C-alpha cells in the first residue's frame, strides 16, 4: 500500500535513526547531508525502547536527533534528554520525517533561523505521552497510540488569527517558533544530553527519534495510509489543499497553470483535478517531473527551458477555449518554487480577472516584480500563501482520501 508519486519526496524512516549506533552519512543523497557524521560514542545506555509498552517517561531516557549548527556545515547526530510535552502538547515517537526545501533554505543559510537547531517538519508518528494538565478533549481526540501527521505551521488555537480560522497566520507560531525556535511558552523542548545546552526547534524538530508537537498542529493519520510516504502530508499536501481551496477557490471548469512541480506543485495538480479543473498545465524544467505530472492530473506540460512558458500556456488556452475573453491566460496560476523568474511567469500567465497564487518560499531578500497597472486595471488577484496548518476537522485526511484527493494504491 502506498501513495502515487506525488508523495515521493524524500522521507527518512525512523529506522535510519534507530537506537543502535550507525553511520548516518548515508541518510540522504543530498549534498547538504552527504557529510553528516555520527557521534559514535558508546550509546548502550541510551538505547530507546522499540515498542509503546516499553516506553516509560517517568524513568527518564535519551534520544538522538539531527542538529544543524551553521550554514554549509555538516549536520551531526547528537544525544538529547527525552523531550517533555507541556499542557496542550503531545510527545510523538517519530516514524518518518521528510526533507522540505524550506529545511534546505535554512541549511544553506538562505533563511535565517536560530541555531543550533533540529530541523524537520514533515512528520508522521505515534503518540506516546500527553503533557500534564492537557485538556480532556485533546486526550480523547488523540489517545495514546494514535498514529498522526504533523503540520508545518503548528497553530496555537487561541490567538486572534486562529480564532478567526486563519491558522496559517498564527501569532504564537511566528512570534515564538519562527522568530525564536521555541514553543509557545518561549522555551525549547530540546536539551543536549552531555552539556544540557538548549537546542532550538524548526517547527517540531522532527529529525529526531521523538518530538513534541502542540496538539492543534496534529491530525489523525488514517490507518490505510503508510507512515513513510505520508510524511509530506503536513507540508506539501496541506499547503496545496489550502492553496487550491481557500486561496485559488478552484471551481469546476477552471484552467490552471502550476509552475514548479515538486512536492507542493505536484500536490496542487492532483487537488486541482479533484476539484474539477478542466485544463491543468504543469510547468517545470525537468522532463522526468513533467512525465510524472501527467500521472497526477496535468493535461498539458511545458518545459520552461525548451520553450517560452508564458507563450505556450497562452497557446494552450487559445486552443482550449476559442471564445475566451479577458486576454489569453489561465484562470489561476500557481507559483510553487519561490524564484523571482517564476514569480513573474505566474503573474504573466493569468488572464484579466484571474488569480495568481504564490506558494513557494524563496531565500531571504528575494524580490519579485509586479506590473502595478495591470494588477489594478485588469483585476488580477495576487494571493500570497506560505503554508497551511489547517486541519479543518477531526476527519480531515479521511475526507481527502474518500474524495480521491489523496489516492491510496
Amino acid at each position: 500500500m502506498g501513495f502515487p508519486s506525488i508523495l515521493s519526496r524524500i522521507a527518512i524512516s525512523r529506522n535510519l535513526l534507530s537506537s543502535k549506533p550507525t553511520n548516518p552519512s548515508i541518510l540522504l543523497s543530498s549534498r547538504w547531508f552527504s557529510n553528516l557524521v555520527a557521534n559514535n560514542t558508546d550509546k548502550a545506555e541510551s538505547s530507546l525502547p522499540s515498542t509503546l509498552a516499553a516506553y516509560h517517561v517517568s524513568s527518564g531516557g535519551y534520544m538522538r536527533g539531527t542538529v544543524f549548527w551553521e550554514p554549509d556545515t555538516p549536520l551531526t547526530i547528537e544525544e538529547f534528554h527525552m523531550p517533555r510535552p507541556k499542557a496542550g502538547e503531545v510527545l510523538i515517537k517519530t516514524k518518518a520525517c521528510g526533507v522540505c526545501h524550506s529545511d534546505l533554505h535554512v541549511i544553506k543559510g538562505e533563511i535565517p533561523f536560530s541555531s543550533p537547531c533540529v530541523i524537520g517538519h514533515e512528520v508522521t508518528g505515534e503518540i506516546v505521552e500527553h503533557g500534564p494538565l492537557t485538556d480532556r478533549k485533546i486526550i480523547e481526540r488523540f489517545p495514546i497510540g494514535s498514529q498522526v501527521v504533523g503540520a508545518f505551521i503548528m497553530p496555537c488555537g487561541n490567538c486572534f488569527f486562529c480564532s478567526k480560522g486563519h491558522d496559517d497566520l498564527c501569532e504564537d507560531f511566528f512570534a515564538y517558533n519562527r522568530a525564536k525556535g521555541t514553543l509557545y511558552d518561549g522555551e525549547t523542548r530540546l536539551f543536549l544530553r552531555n552539556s544540557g545546552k538548549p537546542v532550538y526547534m524548526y517547527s517540531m524538530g522532527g529529525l529526531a527519534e521523538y518530538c513534541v508537537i502542540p496538539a492543534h498542529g496534529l491530525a489523525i493519520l488514517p490507518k490505510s495510509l503508510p507512515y513513510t510516504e505520508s510524511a509530506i502530508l503536513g507540508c506539501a499536501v496541506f499547503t496545496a489543499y489550502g492553496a487550491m481551496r481557500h486561496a485559488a477557490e478552484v471551481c469546476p471548469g477552471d484552467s490552471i497553470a502550476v509552475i514548479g512541480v515538486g512536492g507542493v506543485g505536484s500536490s496542487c495538480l492532483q487537488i486541482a483535478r479533484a476539484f474539477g479543473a478542466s485544463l491543468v498545465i504543469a510547468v517545470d524544467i525537468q522532463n522526468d517531473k513533467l512525465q510524472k505530472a501527467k500521472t497526477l492530473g496535468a493535461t498539458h506540460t511545458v518545459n520552461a527551458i525548451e520553450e517560452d512558458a508564458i507563450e505556450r500556456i497562452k497557446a494552450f488556452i487559445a486552443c482550449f477555449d476559442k471564445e475566451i475573453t479577458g486576454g489569453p491566460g489561465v484562470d489561476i496560476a500557481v507559483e510553487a518554487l519561490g524564484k523571482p523568474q517564476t514569480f513573474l511567469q505566474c503573474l504573466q500567465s493569468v488572464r484579466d480577472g484571474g488569480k495568481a497564487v504564490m506558494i513557494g518560499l524563496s531565500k531571504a531578500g528575494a524580490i519579485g516584480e509586479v506590473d502595478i497597472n495591470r494588477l489594478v486595471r485588469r483585476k488580477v488577484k495576487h494571493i500570497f500563501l506560505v503554508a497551511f496548518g489547517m486541519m479543518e476537522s477531526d476527519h480531515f485526511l479521511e475526507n481527502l482520501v474518500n474524495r480521491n484527493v489523496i489516492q491510496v494504491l
Side-chain angles (χ1 to χ4, degrees):
M1 184 181 296
F3 282 92
S5 56
I6 184 177
L7 299 181
S8 62
R9 185 191 295 186
I10 299 172
I12 303 175
S13 171
R14 182 190 174 278
N15 291 335
L16 292 174
L17 290 176
S18 65
S19 58
K20 296 179 181 180
T22 58
N23 182 355
S25 62
I26 60 171
L27 272 177
L28 295 171
S29 59
S30 170
R31 62 191 176 93
W32 294 284
F33 290 87
S34 61
N35 294 322
L36 189 62
V37 294
N39 177 4
N40 282 317
T41 57
D42 182 12
K43 295 182 175 62
E45 63 177 322
S46 67
S47 295
L48 291 171
S50 59
T51 66
L52 177 63
Y55 177 79
H56 299 288
V57 294
S58 60
S59 63
Y62 305 96
M63 71 164 193
R64 293 193 294 166
T66 307
V67 180
F68 163 74
W69 298 93
E70 58 185 20
D72 299 319
T73 319
L75 306 186
T76 62
I77 289 184
E78 307 291 343
E79 290 188 336
F80 291 84
H81 292 282
M82 185 68 71
R84 303 303 303 274
K86 297 186 179 182
E89 301 170 353
V90 295
L91 181 64
I92 302 299
K93 183 178 183 180
T94 306
K95 296 294 186 178
C97 183
V99 178
C100 177
H101 208 96
S102 61
D103 293 320
L104 300 184
H105 278 312
V106 172
I107 292 169
K108 294 161 66 178
E110 295 176 347
I111 293 181
F113 195 80
S114 302
S115 63
C117 70
V118 175
I119 58 172
H121 57 264
E122 297 180 336
V123 168
T124 55
E126 178 184 354
I127 293 180
V128 295
E129 183 187 6
H130 298 105
L133 303 179
T134 292
D135 186 89
R136 177 179 54 83
K137 292 182 179 179
I138 291 177
I139 295 174
E140 292 175 351
R141 183 182 178 190
F142 299 111
I144 298 296
S146 299
Q147 57 186 50
V148 292
V149 57
F152 172 42
I153 292 179
M154 307 176 296
C156 70
N158 300 312
C159 70
F160 171 82
F161 289 110
C162 285
S163 66
K164 298 292 185 181
H166 298 294
D167 311 31
D168 53 313
L169 298 176
C170 174
E171 292 175 316
D172 282 353
F173 176 78
F174 287 100
Y176 290 98
N177 190 264
R178 266 304 157 267
K180 301 177 181 179
T182 69
L183 291 186
Y184 307 147
D185 60 352
E187 298 179 357
T188 181
R189 303 294 181 264
L190 299 175
F191 298 88
L192 292 174
R193 176 186 179 185
N194 292 334
S195 65
K197 180 179 179 179
V199 174
Y200 299 106
M201 305 166 66
Y202 189 74
S203 287
M204 67 285 293
L207 279 177
E209 291 178 299
Y210 290 82
C211 61
V212 173
I213 309 179
H216 292 299
L218 290 171
I220 293 292
L221 184 68
K223 292 183 178 180
S224 60
L225 302 183
Y227 278 120
T228 300
E229 292 89 337
S230 302
I232 70 164
L233 281 169
C235 183
V237 177
F238 285 169
T239 299
Y241 182 84
M244 294 295 95
R245 178 179 177 185
H246 300 289
E249 298 177 311
V250 177
C251 296
D254 279 345
S255 58
I256 296 176
V258 178
I259 301 173
V261 287
V264 175
S266 294
S267 301
C268 287
L269 296 174
Q270 187 166 285
I271 293 170
R273 286 307 299 272
F275 285 172
S278 55
L279 184 70
V280 180
I281 305 169
V283 182
D284 207 283
I285 60 173
Q286 297 183 28
N287 285 323
D288 58 339
K289 288 186 177 182
L290 293 173
Q291 286 300 317
K292 290 180 181 179
K294 293 178 181 179
T295 70
L296 301 174
T299 58
H300 300 77
T301 61
V302 179
N303 187 314
I305 287 182
E306 298 175 357
E307 50 193 339
D308 186 305
I310 298 167
E311 291 303 318
R312 192 63 176 152
I313 289 170
K314 292 180 178 180
F316 284 141
I317 292 295
C319 293
F320 175 70
D321 187 352
K322 298 185 182 301
E323 297 184 3
I324 191 169
T325 58
V330 290
D331 297 308
I332 300 162
V334 179
E335 199 284 337
L337 190 59
K339 292 184 177 295
Q341 180 183 359
T342 51
F343 181 93
L344 186 59
Q345 285 176 337
C346 182
L347 283 174
Q348 294 176 341
S349 300
V350 180
R351 67 166 175 80
D352 292 352
K355 299 175 185 176
V357 181
M358 308 300 176
I359 303 176
L361 280 175
S362 67
K363 64 181 181 180
I367 303 297
E369 295 182 353
V370 176
D371 184 340
I372 297 176
N373 286 344
R374 179 168 184 253
L375 199 67
V376 174
R377 290 175 174 171
R378 308 313 303 165
K379 294 180 65 176
V380 175
K381 296 180 181 179
H382 194 180
I383 304 167
F384 293 92
L385 178 77
V386 176
F388 270 78
M390 288 191 275
M391 302 303 169
E392 302 204 352
S393 76
D394 288 351
H395 304 290
F396 174 71
L397 288 176
E398 288 93 334
N399 291 336
L400 293 186
V401 173
N402 292 337
R403 293 181 61 186
N404 288 322
V405 175
I406 297 174
Q407 300 173 17
V408 180
L409 303 182

